Amino acid sequence: MRRRRNPIATSILTEAHATVPELVEPQATTWHRSLANAVRSGHALAERLGLDPSALGLSADAERDFPVLVPESYVARMRPGDPGDPLLRQVLAVHEETLDVPGFTSDPVGDTDARDQPGLLRKYAGRALLIATGACAVHCRYCFRRHYAYGDDPRTLDDWRPALKTIAADESIREVILSGGDPLTLVDHSLARLVHEIAAVPHVRRLRVHTRLPVVLPDRVTPALLDLFSSGGPTPVVVVHANHANELVADAATAVRRLVTAGVTTLNQAVLLRGVNDTFEAQRDLCERLVDLGVIPYYLHQLDRVAGAAHFETPESTGHAIVARLRTHLPGYAVPQYVREVRGEPNKVPLARPF
Ligand SMILES: *Cc1c(COP(=O)(O)O)cnc(C)c1O
Ligand code: SF4
């Protein structure tokens, strides 16, 4: 099963508890409209940026496999006329994606083996990860879950019962991670119901949300969303996902700043991507921009070897060299941990310096 094509996930938990007051605010309609107006083809992107589509290596097959999806706000941060723009490269479906490259597979990090209950992944001590939805506001071409079978995961509150029961029954779970897809594509009342179910479990102390929406669909950071995070439940931690300093300007910078100002611990994870951010300068600018906004660079991931993303792979030696140089230029807290996810390991594996 491939990712569902409708990026607006409204189905989870909606019917079961229709009497719970809705948290949806007028602003919610704004972000829905932004999502509905997202750019959905390589040709449209080329046109918006004044580029010759025939020079971009576009692929209809790649688009069919994993549709192009890019909100206008993100397009507005791309440089017109630059086919190598680092934001454009993250979202453009190109013919390299259709090549079969040995070692690049559909489930590179063992998510299927880690599925404990429908929608619940458990790999690491003390943490449980919920696939809150398969929907995203952007389709990142390097996504390690681009082939994940979201269709097998829960859609309604009843579907979530086994996962929530497992969390409630296991006192070792101190942190619940909402992931996906992007959990913030859920409408507020669906998200609120899920958060409230989790908050009702006394041993869960932290609620972590992994999301790219503050960066790609900044409208999503509404007052209602901030209220949900500061409603007195488990301590919220938001991990945003920016790969390049150019992503963290204008409305995206404001959205991220809002999270920080609301008192939410905000971290960033990035993926090392060839042609996007595989230079010292790109990583330095990203880290500086993050800490200027009050966001701590958490992880720099070595690319997961997912089928269709081989052209983004950067040698580990490049990553080592970049991170070693970052250490000599930035405060310690501004240097992310360079890690790779290895199937079966009890933690994300730090990539040691080879020298
Ligand atoms: C990455 C991941 C986590 C979080 O790992 P941290 O090192 O705590 O950021 C938790 N569960 C699963 C299944 C993961 O893939
Ligand atoms: S990287 Fe995140 S936001 Fe991008 S497609 Fe994958 S799950 Fe969605």
Side-chain angles (χ1 to χ4, degrees):
M1 244 309 298
R2 296 216 168 93
R3 174 182 306 278
R4 284 180 298 139
R5 279 160 197 243
N6 176 1
I8 303 176
T10 51
S11 54
I12 294 184
L13 318 182
T14 42
E15 272 87 48
H17 282 233
T19 53
V20 176
E22 300 203 352
L23 292 177
V24 180
E25 290 206 339
Q27 285 89 343
T29 57
T30 309
W31 70 264
H32 277 128
R33 207 176 310 119
S34 301
L35 200 43
N37 291 336
V39 176
R40 286 162 198 272
S41 77
H43 276 92
L45 273 173
E47 195 176 312
R48 285 277 280 95
L49 298 169
L51 293 165
D52 173 5
S54 64
L56 290 174
L58 302 181
S59 164
D61 286 342
E63 290 198 20
R64 210 171 304 119
D65 188 45
F66 187 33
V68 167
L69 180 66
V70 199
E72 275 291 337
S73 156
Y74 196 74
V75 178
R77 283 171 264 153
M78 295 175 185
R79 289 185 295 249
D82 180 0
D85 179 84
L87 280 60
L88 176 65
R89 284 289 145 195
Q90 293 180 53
V91 297
L92 198 64
V94 294
H95 79 90
E96 283 103 320
E97 293 181 29
T98 62
L99 306 175
D100 208 354
V101 181
F104 285 76
T105 62
S106 62
D107 180 12
V109 298
D111 275 350
T112 308
D113 295 346
R115 199 180 317 207
D116 182 287
Q117 295 288 349
L120 184 71
L121 303 186
R122 294 191 66 186
K123 286 186 186 169
Y124 307 132
R127 286 149 289 173
L129 183 149
L130 284 177
I131 303 286
T133 168
C136 294
V138 66
H139 286 174
C140 313
R141 309 313 299 180
Y142 54 85
C143 178
F144 74 102
R145 290 207 183 109
R146 59 181 285 169
H147 308 287
Y148 184 82
Y150 290 112
D152 301 342
D153 283 331
R155 296 279 164 80
T156 69
L157 190 58
D158 280 344
D159 294 343
W160 278 107
R161 285 290 162 219
L164 293 166
K165 232 172 125 180
T166 299
I167 292 168
D170 185 344
E171 291 195 5
S172 76
I173 298 174
R174 298 298 163 90
E175 179 165 329
V176 173
I177 299 169
L178 299 185
S179 182
D182 198 309
L184 297 190
T185 58
L186 292 176
V187 295
D188 284 356
H189 61 273
S190 299
L191 186 65
R193 279 184 199 120
L194 196 50
V195 168
H196 292 152
E197 290 282 338
I198 295 162
V201 180
H203 54 261
V204 173
R205 296 169 188 185
R206 296 177 301 275
L207 178 72
R208 193 198 312 183
V209 178
H210 274 254
T211 176
R212 197 147 156 65
L213 262 67
V215 173
V216 300
L217 194 80
D219 291 351
R220 180 63 184 99
V221 184
T222 58
L225 183 71
L226 296 173
D227 284 350
L228 180 63
F229 286 143
S230 43
S231 60
T235 301
V237 178
V238 170
V239 183
V240 298
H241 178 171
N243 296 313
H244 197 278
N246 293 3
E247 289 173 276
L248 294 166
V249 295
D251 49 352
T254 307
V256 167
R257 202 66 202 149
R258 278 206 192 106
L259 282 168
V260 172
T261 309
V264 178
T265 298
T266 308
L267 312 174
N268 184 65
Q269 63 173 8
V271 182
L272 187 60
L273 298 167
R274 184 147 68 94
V276 172
N277 61 12
D278 58 337
T279 63
F280 163 71
E281 289 76 14
Q283 290 294 331
R284 176 200 57 198
D285 293 352
L286 172 62
C287 292
E288 292 228 68
R289 188 84 195 108
L290 287 164
V291 295
D292 286 351
L293 290 168
V295 180
I296 299 297
Y298 176 40
Y299 279 149
L300 174 62
H301 284 271
Q302 178 65 12
L303 182 81
D304 295 316
R305 305 189 91 194
V306 66
H311 56 294
F312 285 116
E313 191 167 52
T314 307
E316 269 183 43
S317 55
T318 303
H320 290 303
I322 291 172
V323 174
R325 219 172 141 199
L326 288 178
R327 286 193 207 293
T328 66
H329 280 75
L330 297 175
Y333 65 82
V335 180
Q337 299 180 60
Y338 180 38
V339 294
R340 116 170 284 155
E341 185 161 350
V342 180
R343 185 191 290 265
E345 288 295 319
N347 49 268
K348 310 265 191 248
V349 178
L351 294 172
R353 289 164 56 152
F355 41 83

